C-alpha cells in the first residue's frame, strides 16, 4: 500500500497523543551533531490511528505495535483512549497490533519520507463469551441515579445462567449503592458531594499537594477524574464458566471543584476550591462584590469552596483576618492569525494594543511565534483526527456552561460547530476535515470564534475582562502570574494524553516542601537567598535574570534583606519548586510549525556568566540550565587551586562535576569527559530531544519529565553493555573507599591516643575521647558538612571533620588530615552524583582508585 496522505498530526481526539520511545526518532550517535535534526525532518514518516474492539466497539488500550523490520528500542502501544502514534524512517514495513485476549491484526505499508498515514484497527477478541459493560459514563451529578446495561455475546454454545454487578472501590475513592446487583441492568446510586470531596482531598493529600498555605487549589483534569470515578464490575456466568467486564462512572464534580490553574484571577461561573493553613478549627467568610449571591460552602473546614457569579472582587477571610482576594471576570480573546497573513489582526484597545511596544512586547512577540499561538488554527488545516474535545485546551474559555464570553459562549459557535464544510458529521465525535484553507474560512465566517482560538495569554493569566488585568502592575500581579505547575498541568495532563505533568510530579523537582524548607525566609532567613537560587522557582528565575553566577537575589544595600527576598516569592506562602515555567519560558513554548530544527526551548542565559568558572570552556548546550544548579558552588576544587581544604563543606549537587570530570583531588581535571561531549549534555539522556517530524505538524517524540533515564538507554549506543555491572562496580569501590576513610580516621585517633571534638555552639567545652572507648567511626554528612559519627559503649557523637582535633591541632591542618579531607570530598562527590558512575565511568573509576591509593599510602 502506498501512503499518499499529506496531513500531519499534533494531538487528536481529546489530546490522546501517545509519547513514544523510538530510537529511530533520534540520531544514532549523539556525539555526531552536525545537521542531525534537519536530516530527521526530511527522512521520517508517521502513522497514527485508533484501535477498537470489533465486538463491543470500545477502544483498546495497551495494544502493542510490532514493526518489521524491527526498529531497535521502539516501544509503541495505544494510550488510554485507544490511540497510537508512530514515526520512523521511510521504507517498506509490516505492522501488526497484538494484545492478550485478541487476535492480532496487521497491514503492509510503503511509507515515504514526509508522509503521514492514518490506520484505524479493529481487533477481534479471542474469548468465546464476551461481556460488555458498556461505555464509560461521564458527567453524572453526585447524589444522582444512573443506569447501566450489560450485553453478553455467547460464541461457544453455552447457556447464560445469571449476571451479577458489584461496585469496586479504589484506595481513597468513593463507592456506590446498587438496588439489586442481579441481571443485565443495574441502577446505581452515586454518593453525595461530601464523599467526592473527601476522595479529592485524599488524592491531593497523597500526592503532597495540600500545602500549609492560603491558596486557590490548582486542579488538573485527572484530579477530578480520579476523585469522581467509580468502577462497576459485572460478572456473567454461563454453563462454560464466569466472565467479567467493568465500566467507569465518572461523576461531574463541577458543583464544588473544577479544573483550575490555581490563580486568583478567575472566570465567573466556575467553582473555586480553597486551602487554608493548617489549623485545629476554621471560620471562613466571604465578602463579594455588590449584587453577588455567591455563598462560601464548608466554611468551618480547611477546604471551603464557592462559585463567583458576577465580575468583581471576592475577599476571603478566616478567623477574622483577610486571607485571599479573588478577582473574577470574563474572557476576552485578543488576536488571531491566518497562515497567509504576515501580521496579526489586532482587537482594538481592549485587546493587546497596549502590549505592542514596551517591556511586555518581547513576551508577546515570543508568544506570537510559538506553537501555543497557532495550535488551533494550524491543526484545523492539517490534522486529520481533530475534534471538539481538542478545543478544551486549544482555545480560550471552552466550557459551554455559562455566559463567560469564552469560545463556547461566542454567538457564532453553534453555527461553527454545526458547519458540515468544517466537520465530518459522520464520525463520532465529529472531526475536522483538514484543508489548507480552513483557518481563513473560520476567520472570515466566524470571527468571534477565531478571536478566542489558540492558547492565548488568558489561558495562563486568567480572564482579561477583570479588575486584576491592569490594576495590579505595581504589585507584580501575583493573582495573575504564577509558577504553579497546574498552570501548565490543566492541559499537559494524562487525561489529555500528555504525561508531562504526571512525570514531573514523579521527579525530585516537584518537592514543594523542600522549596518551603530551604528557600523561605521564615525557615532560612537571609540564607534563603543562597539556597533559594536552586531550590525555588522564583529564586532561580531571579538568579538567572541577574546574569551573573555570583549575584545575590536580594537587591544591593537593602535595609531588610529578608523582606526583599520575600517580595521575590521566597516565603512559605509563595515559594514554588522547580516547576514547568522555571525551565521553559511559557511565552516561548516551542516553535512548532515554522522551524526546520525543532527543539523545545528552555530558558536561555549567558552560560559564560551563569556556569561555574571551571565549566565555561565546556559546551553543555541546552543542558546549561541543568549545570547551573547541578554543580558545586564553591569554585574549582583540585590540587592546584586548593592545595589544602579550609572547610569540611560537602560537595552538594555534583552531577556536572562528574559529567565533565572536574572538581576532584588526586586526578587531573577535565581529562575524562565521556558523556559531557553529547549534544545538550544532561537533556539527551534525561529528557531526550524533541525532533520536528514534518513540515506541517508537531508530533512530539519521547520527552521524559520524570528525568529518570530509561534502563536500556546505555545499550542503544554501547551495544551489549549492561549498566548494572558498572553501577555495582562503582558501589563496590565506594564501599571500599568508605571503609578506608573510616580506618584512616580511626588510625589518626589511635596515634594520638584519643581525640578532641570541638563544640558546635559557643560556650560549650570540648569533648575528649580516648582511643580505647571508641567502638565505631562512621562517615556521615552533617548539615552539608563532611563528618563522622563516633560511637562509644554508651553514646554517639556526630561531628564535622573540621571540628576534630589531634591534641591541640585540627585534623584538617595536618598532612594526613589533608589527605583524609580531600578523600572524603572525592567520596561525597561520587556518592552525591547519584549515577553510580554512569555519568562518567572512566573518570569515576580512576578517581576512586587514586583516592583509595592515597589513603592506603598513609599506612605505609
Amino acid at each position: 500500500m502506498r501512503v499518499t496522505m499529506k496531513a500531519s498530526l499534533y494531538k487528536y481526539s481529546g489530546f490522546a497523543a501517545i509519547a513514544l520511545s523510538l530510537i529511530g526518532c533520534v540520531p544514532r550517535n549523539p556525539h555526531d551533531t552536525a545537521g542531525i535534526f534537519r536530516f530527521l525532518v526530511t527522512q521520517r514518516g508517521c502513522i497514527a490511528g485508533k484501535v477498537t474492539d470489533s465486538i463491543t466497539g470500545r477502544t483498546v488500550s495497551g495494544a502493542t505495535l510490532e514493526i518489521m523490520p524491527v526498529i531497535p528500542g521502539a516501544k509503541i502501544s495505544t494510550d488510554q483512549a485507544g490511540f497510537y502514534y508512530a514515526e520512523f524512517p521511510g521504507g517498506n514495513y509490516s505492522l501488526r497490533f497484538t494484545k492478550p485476549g485478541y487476535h492480532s491484526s496487521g497491514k503492509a505499508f510503503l511509507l515515504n519520507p514526509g508522509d503521514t498515514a492514518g490506520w484505524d484497527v479493529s481487533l477481534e477478541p479471542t474469548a468465546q463469551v464476551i461481556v460488555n459493560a458498556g461505555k464509560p459514563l461521564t458527567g453524572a451529578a453526585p447524589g444522582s441515579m444512573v443506569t447501566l446495561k450489560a450485553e453478553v455475546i455467547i460464541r461457544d454454545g453455552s447457556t447464560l445462567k445469571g449476571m451479577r454487578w458489584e461496585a469496586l472501590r479504589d484506595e481513597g475513592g468513593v463507592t456506590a449503592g446498587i438496588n439489586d446487583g442481579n441481571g443485565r441492568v443495574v441502577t446505581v446510586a452515586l454518593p453525595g458531594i461530601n464523599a467526592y470531596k473527601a476522595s479529592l482531598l485524599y488524592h491531593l493529600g497523597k500526592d503532597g499537594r495540600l500545602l500549609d498555605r492560603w491558596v486557590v487549589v490548582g486542579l488538573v483534569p485527572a484530579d477530578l477524574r480520579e476523585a469522581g470515578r467509580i468502577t462497576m464490575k459485572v460478572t456473567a456466568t454461563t454453563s462454560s464458566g464466569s466472565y467479567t467486564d467493568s465500566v467507569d462512572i465518572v461523576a461531574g464534580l463541577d458543583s464544588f471543584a473544577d479544573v483550575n490553574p490555581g490563580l486568583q484571577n478567575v472566570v465567573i461561573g466556575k467553582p473555586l476550591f480553597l486551602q487554608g493553613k493548617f489549623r485545629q478549627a476554621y471560620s471562613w467568610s466571604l465578602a463579594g462584590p455588590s449584587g453577588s449571591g455567591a455563598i462560601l460552602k464548608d466554611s468551618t473546614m480547611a477546604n471551603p469552596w464557592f462559585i463567583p457569579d458576577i465580575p468583581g472582587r471576592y475577599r476571603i477571610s478566616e478567623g477574622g483576618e483577610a486571607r485571599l482576594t479573588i478577582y473574577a471576570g470574563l474572557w476576552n480573546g485578543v488576536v488571531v492569525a491566518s497562515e497567509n497573513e504576515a501580521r496579526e489582526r489586532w482587537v482594538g484597545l481592549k485587546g493587546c494594543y497596549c502590549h505592542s511596544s514596551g517591556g511586555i512586547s518581547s513576551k508577546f512577540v515570543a508568544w506570537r511565534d510559538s506553537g501555543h499561538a497557532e495550535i488551533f488554527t494550524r491543526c484545523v488545516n492539517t490534522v486529520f483526527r481533530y475534534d471538539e474535545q481538542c478545543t478544551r485546551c486549544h482555545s480560550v474559555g471552552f466550557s459551554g456552561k455559562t455566559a463567560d464570553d469564552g469560545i463556547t459562549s461566542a454567538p457564532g459557535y453553534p453555527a461553527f460547530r454545526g458547519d458540515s464544510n468544517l466537520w465530518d458529521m459522520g464520525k463520532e465525535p465529529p472531526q475536522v476535515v483538514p484543508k489548507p484553507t480552513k483557518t481563513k474560512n473560520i476567520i472570515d465566517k466566524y470571527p468571534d470564534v477565531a478571536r478566542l482560538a489558540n492558547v492565548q495569554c488568558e489561558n495562563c493569566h486568567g480572564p482579561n475582562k477583570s479588575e486584576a488585568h491592569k490594576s495590579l502592575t505595581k504589585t507584580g500581579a501575583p493573582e495573575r502570574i504564577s509558577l504553579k505547575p497546574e498552570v501548565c498541568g490543566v492541559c499537559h495532563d494524562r487525561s489529555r494524553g500528555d504525561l508531562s505533568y504526571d512525570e514531573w510530579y514523579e521527579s525530585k523537582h516537584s518537592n514543594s516542601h523542600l522549596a518551603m524548607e530551604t528557600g523561605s525566609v521564615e525557615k532560612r532567613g537571609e540564607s534563603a537567598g543562597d539556597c533559594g537560587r536552586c531550590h525555588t522557582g522564583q529564586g532561580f528565575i531571579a538568579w538567572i535574570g541577574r546574569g551573573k553566577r555570583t549575584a545575590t537575589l536580594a537587591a544591593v544595600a537593602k535595609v531588610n534583606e529578608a523582606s526583599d527576598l520575600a517580595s521575590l516569592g521566597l516565603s512559605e506562602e509563595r515559594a514554588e519548586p522547580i516547576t514547568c515555567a522555571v525551565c521553559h519560558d511559557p511565552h516561548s513554548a516551542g516553535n512548532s510549525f515554522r522551524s526546520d530544527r525543532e527543539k523545545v526551548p528552555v530558558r536561555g542565559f549567558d552560560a559564560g556568566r551563569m556556569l561555574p568558572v571551571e565549566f565555561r570552556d565546556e559546551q553543555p548546550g541546552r543542558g546549561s540550565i541543568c549545570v547551573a544548579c547541578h554543580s558545586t558552588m564553591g569554585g574549582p576544587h583540585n590540587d592546584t587551586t586548593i592545595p589544602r581544604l579550609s572547610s569540611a563543606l560537602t560537595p552538594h549537587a555534583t552531577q556536572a562535576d562528574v559529567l565533565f570530570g572536574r572538581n576532584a583531588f588526586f586526578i587531573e581535571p577535565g581529562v575524562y569527559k565521556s558523556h559531557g561531549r553529547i549534544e545538550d549534555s544532561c537533556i539527551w539522556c534525561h529528557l531526550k530531544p524533541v525532533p520536528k517530524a514534518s513540515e506541517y505538524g508537531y508530533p512530539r517524540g519521547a520527552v521524559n519529565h520524570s528525568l529518570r533515564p530509561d534502563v536500556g538507554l546505555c545499550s542503544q549506543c554501547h551495544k551489549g553493555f549492561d549498566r548494572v555491572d558498572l553501577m555495582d562496580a562503582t558501589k563496590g569501590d565506594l564501599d571500599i573507599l568508605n571503609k578506608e576513610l573510616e580506618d584512616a580516621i580511626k588510625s589518626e585517633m589511635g596515634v594520638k591516643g584519643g581525640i578532641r571534638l570541638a563544640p558546635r555552639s559557643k560556650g560549650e567545652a570540648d569533648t575528649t575521647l580516648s582511643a580505647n572507648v571508641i567502638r565505631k567511626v562512621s562517615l556521615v554528612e552533617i548539615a552539608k558538612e563532611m563528618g563522622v559519627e563516633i560511637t562509644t559503649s554508651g553514646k554517639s557523637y556526630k561531628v564535622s571533620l573540621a571540628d576534630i582535633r589531634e591534641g591541640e591541632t585540627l585534623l584538617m591542618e595536618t598532612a594526613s588530615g589533608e589527605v583524609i579531607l580531600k578523600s572524603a570530598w572525592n567520596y561525597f562527590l561520587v556518592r552525591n552524583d547519584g549515577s553510580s558512575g554512569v555519568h562518567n565511568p572512566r573518570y569515576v573509576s580512576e578517581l576512586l582508585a587514586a583516592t583509595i591509593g592515597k589513603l592506603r599510602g598513609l599506612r605505609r
Side-chain angles (χ1 to χ4, degrees):
M1 173 181 175
R2 179 180 174 83
V3 181
T4 58
M5 296 176 64
K6 284 289 184 178
S8 69
L9 303 174
Y10 174 65
K11 292 186 176 180
Y12 32 83
S13 189
F15 321 101
I18 189 74
L20 308 178
S21 298
L22 291 176
I23 182 58
C25 293
V26 296
R28 289 298 182 96
N29 179 6
H31 301 269
D32 180 14
T33 60
I36 54 178
F37 285 98
R38 184 179 295 276
F39 173 80
L40 286 172
V41 171
T42 59
Q43 296 298 312
R44 306 191 66 76
C46 55
I47 295 177
K50 182 166 86 170
V51 178
T52 56
D53 184 303
S54 64
I55 301 296
T56 66
R58 293 196 298 181
T59 57
V60 176
S61 63
T64 301
L65 179 62
E66 296 178 350
I67 306 169
M68 294 295 293
V70 174
I71 298 178
K75 298 177 182 178
I76 305 166
S77 60
T78 54
D79 67 3
Q80 291 180 342
F83 290 97
Y84 72 94
Y85 168 78
E87 57 178 54
F88 31 81
N92 287 291
Y93 292 94
S94 176
L95 306 180
R96 181 170 297 276
F97 269 104
T98 63
K99 184 176 180 177
Y102 288 92
H103 296 289
S104 63
S105 178
K107 199 170 190 177
F109 280 90
L110 170 60
L111 186 64
N112 290 318
D115 281 351
T116 300
W119 178 36
D120 288 341
V121 181
S122 181
L123 296 182
E124 181 184 358
T126 57
Q128 292 303 298
V129 176
I130 300 169
V131 182
N132 180 13
K135 294 183 178 180
L137 299 179
T138 60
S144 66
M145 306 289 287
V146 297
T147 300
L148 301 177
K149 182 178 181 180
E151 295 180 342
V152 181
I153 300 172
I154 299 176
R155 302 195 293 181
D156 63 355
S158 61
T159 304
L160 179 65
K161 292 186 174 182
M163 299 181 69
R164 177 73 183 174
W165 290 87
E166 61 180 313
L168 305 180
R169 183 173 185 176
D170 294 331
E171 181 183 351
V174 297
T175 189
I178 51 179
N179 58 344
D180 181 3
N182 294 308
R184 295 174 184 264
V185 181
V186 66
T187 301
V188 180
L190 302 187
I193 285 178
N194 289 339
Y196 284 108
K197 182 181 177 183
S199 177
L200 177 61
L201 289 172
Y202 173 84
H203 286 95
L204 294 175
K206 184 180 179 182
D207 293 338
R209 290 167 56 192
L210 294 177
L211 304 178
D212 189 16
R213 291 176 172 173
W214 306 103
V215 291
V216 174
V217 179
L219 297 172
V220 300
D223 294 332
L224 303 178
R225 178 176 178 81
E226 290 302 308
R229 180 170 58 87
I230 294 174
T231 300
M232 297 295 298
K233 176 183 176 182
V234 60
T235 301
T237 302
T238 75
S239 55
S240 63
S242 295
Y243 308 88
T244 65
D245 192 25
S246 61
V247 62
D248 288 339
I249 304 172
V250 183
L253 306 187
D254 53 2
S255 56
F256 70 94
D258 208 337
V259 173
N260 192 300
L263 299 175
Q264 290 172 233
N265 183 46
V266 302
V267 71
I268 66 169
K270 294 183 66 173
L272 296 181
F273 198 62
L274 308 180
Q275 166 72 21
K277 288 180 71 71
F278 301 151
R279 296 281 193 273
Q280 290 296 321
Y282 296 88
S283 178
W284 296 86
S285 61
L286 167 67
S290 177
S292 171
I295 300 173
L296 191 68
K297 302 292 184 68
D298 293 343
S299 61
T300 60
M301 304 177 70
N303 299 98
W305 56 275
F306 78 102
I307 301 176
D309 53 349
I310 62 173
R313 297 189 191 189
Y314 295 78
R315 293 176 172 84
I316 313 295
S317 299
E318 191 283 325
E321 296 185 36
R323 302 301 186 186
L324 295 167
T325 300
I326 308 296
Y327 295 83
L330 303 172
W331 302 114
N332 189 61
V334 291
V335 64
V336 294
S338 167
E339 61 179 317
N340 297 321
E341 295 177 351
R343 301 181 63 84
E344 299 79 14
R345 297 185 181 186
W346 297 87
V347 188
L349 294 176
K350 293 184 178 180
C352 48
Y353 181 82
C354 294
H355 302 304
S356 61
S357 62
I360 305 181
S361 176
S362 61
K363 295 179 180 179
F364 176 80
V365 170
W367 166 82
R368 179 196 61 191
D369 293 335
S370 75
H372 275 167
E374 58 183 9
I375 184 62
F376 175 90
T377 50
R378 286 282 179 154
C379 282
V380 297
N381 285 355
T382 62
V383 177
F384 65 82
R385 192 179 296 282
Y386 196 74
D387 62 41
E388 187 182 34
Q389 295 301 306
C390 303
T391 315
R392 290 184 181 274
C393 283
H394 297 173
S395 67
V396 176
F398 184 99
S399 68
K401 294 182 179 180
T402 183
D404 57 11
D405 288 357
I407 191 168
T408 46
S409 297
Y413 189 80
F416 159 76
R417 181 60 183 78
D419 191 333
S420 59
N421 291 319
L422 293 172
W423 304 87
D424 181 350
M425 299 298 181
K427 297 285 183 67
E428 180 55 43
Q431 295 169 7
V432 168
V433 180
K435 289 183 180 178
T437 58
K438 285 295 168 66
T439 292
K440 187 176 186 306
N441 290 341
I442 294 171
I443 292 173
D444 291 340
K445 291 182 65 176
Y446 311 107
D448 57 339
V449 173
R451 179 169 59 87
L452 293 150
N454 300 310
V455 178
Q456 300 188 21
C457 314
E458 292 173 283
N459 293 70
C460 301
H461 296 296
N464 275 358
K465 292 180 186 176
S466 158
E467 289 185 44
H469 183 201
K470 296 181 179 179
S471 64
L472 300 174
T473 54
K474 292 183 179 180
T475 66
E479 292 83 356
R480 301 187 74 237
I481 300 173
S482 175
L483 292 181
K484 290 181 180 180
E486 288 79 19
V487 172
C488 303
V490 293
C491 287
H492 295 273
D493 164 68
R494 68 178 181 272
S495 67
R496 306 294 201 213
D498 188 329
L499 297 177
S500 301
Y501 177 81
D502 296 271
E503 288 179 340
W504 172 83
Y505 249 110
E506 294 176 8
S507 77
K508 293 182 179 179
H509 280 171
S510 67
N511 194 332
S512 297
H513 300 281
L514 180 64
M516 296 165 67
E517 182 68 30
T518 63
S520 68
V521 294
E522 294 90 343
K523 295 288 188 180
R524 291 301 177 97
E526 294 181 357
S527 67
D530 294 324
C531 302
R533 288 179 296 181
C534 289
H535 286 292
T536 69
Q538 291 95 332
F540 183 78
I541 291 175
W543 184 39
I544 66 173
R546 304 286 192 267
K548 188 177 181 181
R549 186 172 182 81
T550 57
T552 60
L553 294 187
V556 177
K558 266 283 182 181
V559 175
N560 188 330
E561 184 174 337
S563 176
D564 191 39
L565 292 172
S567 70
L568 292 176
L570 273 67
S571 66
E572 287 186 298
E573 196 69 21
R574 292 180 55 198
E576 295 289 346
I578 307 306
T579 60
C580 321
V582 177
C583 295
H584 303 286
D585 183 346
H587 300 104
S588 178
N591 192 341
S592 63
F593 297 100
R594 300 186 182 95
S595 172
D596 62 358
R597 184 180 166 84
E598 173 60 27
K599 288 185 177 183
V600 170
V602 294
R603 286 188 184 271
F605 56 81
D606 184 352
R609 294 167 61 86
M610 290 305 301
L611 297 188
V613 173
E614 60 271 32
F615 295 129
R616 292 179 186 174
D617 60 345
E618 310 291 355
Q619 295 183 4
R622 288 186 295 168
S624 293
I625 197 168
C626 310
V627 173
C629 282
H630 291 272
S631 55
T632 54
M633 287 284 186
H637 278 65
N638 55 64
D639 294 303
T640 301
T641 59
I642 304 180
R644 185 181 297 278
L645 270 174
S646 59
S647 79
L649 288 177
T650 314
H652 184 32
T654 62
Q655 289 77 22
D657 305 83
V658 172
L659 185 68
F660 293 107
R662 294 187 179 274
N663 287 326
F665 300 98
F666 316 139
I667 189 171
E668 186 177 350
V671 173
Y672 307 122
K673 297 183 180 180
S674 185
H675 297 118
R677 296 188 177 96
I678 295 177
E679 182 193 36
D680 291 329
S681 53
C682 320
I683 286 176
W684 184 275
C685 296
H686 286 275
L687 285 101
K688 300 182 183 178
V690 185
K692 182 176 175 60
S694 73
E695 177 184 357
Y696 300 105
Y698 186 37
R700 301 187 312 156
V703 188
N704 173 23
H705 283 94
S706 73
L707 305 181
R708 298 171 184 167
D710 189 299
V711 294
L713 195 62
C714 301
S715 62
Q716 291 183 5
C717 293
H718 306 281
K719 300 301 181 185
F721 175 78
D722 185 355
R723 74 171 187 174
V724 174
D725 292 340
L726 168 64
M727 296 173 74
D728 286 345
T730 300
K731 290 174 183 176
D733 288 344
L734 274 174
D735 289 341
I736 293 171
L737 177 54
N738 185 305
K739 186 176 187 306
E740 291 289 341
L741 272 164
E742 292 172 356
D743 287 347
I745 296 169
K746 284 190 289 187
S747 178
E748 287 298 302
M749 295 176 182
V751 169
K752 298 296 181 180
I755 200 161
R756 286 172 56 195
L757 312 179
R760 301 294 287 174
S761 303
K762 291 182 179 180
E764 294 182 4
D766 289 356
T767 300
T768 301
L769 301 174
S770 60
N772 61 357
V773 304
I774 297 173
R775 298 289 181 265
K776 185 179 180 181
V777 175
S778 304
L779 192 66
V780 295
E781 190 172 357
I782 309 167
K784 303 306 178 187
E785 287 193 57
M786 302 180 292
V788 289
E789 182 175 9
I790 302 172
T791 304
T792 66
S793 58
K795 193 173 182 179
S796 293
Y797 304 84
K798 286 187 177 181
V799 59
S800 166
L801 293 179
D803 295 328
I804 295 178
R805 293 181 181 275
E806 298 181 354
E808 297 300 321
T809 306
L810 287 171
L811 173 67
M812 62 194 304
E813 293 177 352
T814 67
S816 55
E818 176 190 334
V819 173
I820 289 173
L821 251 71
K822 288 183 176 180
S823 298
W825 172 278
N826 289 353
Y827 170 82
F828 284 108
L829 183 89
V830 175
R831 195 198 73 170
N832 291 351
D833 164 60
S835 75
S836 296
V838 172
H839 280 150
N840 199 336
R842 186 176 178 187
Y843 170 75
V844 168
S845 176
E846 297 279 354
L847 175 61
L848 294 178
T851 307
I852 292 169
K854 281 287 186 180
L855 287 170
R856 288 175 175 172
L858 293 178
R859 299 201 299 266
R860 298 192 185 108

